[in-house]
């Protein structure tokens, strides 16, 4: 049997240590994610770490260091697709980026373990955990700090709701008013809003605006019979 011919106790013990290390370290990362009720929790992070370790260890046994390098490259790209599944877009908000990055980190931990680099795997796990725990108070502190428009990167958006049949007329009115106020449009999007309406969203090129000017434009736009709603808001860019 091929199993009897290919089985080597020392090689098996090395694999056991690698996979067990990936299991423990991936579990530590996943526990923190599970505790915070994230999309990818304990089991997902453990499976990613263990899977990466098994593939890297297998490649090393079959094809040596060359095979290990090739499989690590595939692990990096493969986990990228897995992480993309955790990212969700809700309007202007994007959720799941941290979860995707954590999965990527778990894969790196597993790849290190699979390559027999146990100390490096533990070090990587420490820094992944540190990013998700030690940096959290700093992030919360920054998020609670009021936005200073002079020191932050802001863009401004103006949105109007109109019917599908009258969107061209509404768009022309908004463009003309913004042009008179010297606020050029950098980007424009039109999306469905309900069954019969659309939302026209214009991103202004200006990095600072006069709120009174935009309020005045909104007032004139809402007076148009073909505009049901109009508003503007600042948006922070990352």
């Amino acid at each position: 049997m091929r199993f009897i011919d290919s089985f080597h106790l020392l090689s098996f013990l090395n694999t056991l240590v690698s996979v067990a290390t990936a299991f423990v370290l991936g579990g530590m990362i996943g526990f923190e994610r599970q505790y915070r009720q994230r999309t990818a929790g304990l089991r997902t992070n453990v499976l990613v770490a263990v899977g990466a370790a098994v593939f890297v260890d297998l490649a090393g046994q079959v094809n040596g260091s060359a095979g290990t390098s090739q499989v690590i490259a595939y692990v990096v790209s493969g986990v990228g697709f897995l992480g993309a599944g955790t990212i969700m877009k809700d309007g202007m908000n994007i959720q799941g980026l941290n979860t995707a990055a954590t999965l990527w980190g778990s894969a790196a931990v597993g790849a290190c373990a699979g390559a027999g680099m146990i100390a490096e795997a533990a070090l990587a796990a420490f820094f992944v955990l540190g990013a998700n725990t030690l940096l959290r108070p700093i992030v919360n502190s920054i998020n609670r700090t009021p936005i200073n428009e002079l020191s932050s990167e802001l863009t401004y958006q103006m949105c109007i709701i109109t019917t599908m049949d009258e969107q061209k007329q509404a768009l022309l009115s908004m463009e003309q008013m913004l042009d008179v106020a010297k606020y050029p449009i950098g980007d424009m999007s039109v999306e469905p809003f309900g069954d019969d309406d659309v939302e026209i969203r214009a991103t202004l090129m200006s990095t600072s605006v006069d709120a009174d000017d935009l309020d005045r434009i909104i007032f004139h736009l809402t007076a148009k019979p073909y505009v049901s709603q109009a508003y503007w808001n600042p948006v922070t860019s990352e």
Side-chain angles (χ1 to χ4, degrees):
M1 294 179 64
R2 292 187 60 188
F3 169 73
I4 297 176
D5 295 335
S6 62
F7 180 78
H8 299 285
L9 180 60
L10 183 60
S11 176
F12 175 77
L13 291 177
N14 284 329
T15 299
L16 177 61
V17 171
S18 296
V19 175
T21 300
F23 183 91
V24 172
L25 296 178
M28 292 169 60
I29 297 172
F31 178 81
E32 186 272 336
R33 296 284 84 192
Q34 190 75 48
Y35 177 76
R36 300 189 188 282
Q37 298 294 307
R38 297 300 186 239
T39 306
L42 178 61
R43 291 184 301 171
T44 303
N45 280 277
V46 169
L47 287 172
V48 167
V50 168
V54 170
F55 280 122
V56 171
D57 179 75
L58 176 63
Q61 292 192 46
V62 172
N63 199 27
S65 58
T68 300
S69 300
Q70 292 176 348
V71 169
I72 288 174
Y74 287 122
V75 167
V76 172
S77 59
V79 173
F81 283 105
L82 182 64
T86 67
I87 300 174
M88 296 175 289
K89 186 175 185 297
D90 182 16
M92 295 297 296
N93 298 318
I94 298 177
Q95 298 177 335
L97 286 175
N98 181 258
T99 298
T102 302
L103 288 176
W104 208 36
S106 293
V109 171
C112 287
M117 304 169 66
I118 304 302
E120 288 79 357
L123 184 65
F126 170 79
F127 279 103
V128 171
L129 278 169
N132 283 333
T133 56
L134 301 179
L135 296 182
R136 182 173 294 275
I138 299 175
V139 172
N140 292 336
S141 176
I142 294 173
N143 288 341
R144 287 194 296 267
T145 302
I147 293 176
N148 182 352
E149 294 188 9
L150 296 178
S151 61
S152 62
E153 296 182 4
L154 284 176
T155 56
Y156 294 84
Q157 289 185 339
M158 180 170 289
C159 305
I160 57 176
I161 311 298
T162 184
T163 63
M164 293 183 181
D165 296 334
E166 297 176 311
Q167 61 177 299
K168 289 185 178 180
Q169 190 173 2
L171 176 58
L172 180 61
S173 296
M174 182 168 62
E175 288 178 335
Q176 289 176 342
M177 292 182 186
L178 288 172
D179 185 59
V180 170
K182 296 184 173 23
Y183 292 126
I185 297 175
D187 187 35
M188 179 76 66
S189 65
V190 179
E191 298 180 0
F193 189 86
D195 295 330
D196 303 317
D197 295 341
V198 294
E199 180 187 54
I200 301 174
R201 183 180 299 152
T203 301
L204 308 185
M205 293 179 62
S206 305
T207 56
S208 62
V209 302
D210 187 332
D212 292 336
D213 287 342
L214 295 188
D215 287 339
R216 199 159 33 246
I217 294 173
I218 292 297
F219 175 78
H220 290 299
L221 283 173
T222 52
K224 303 292 184 183
Y226 44 80
V227 175
S228 58
Q229 297 181 49
Y231 56 93
W232 70 272
N233 55 275
V235 179
T236 55
S237 58
E238 296 182 306

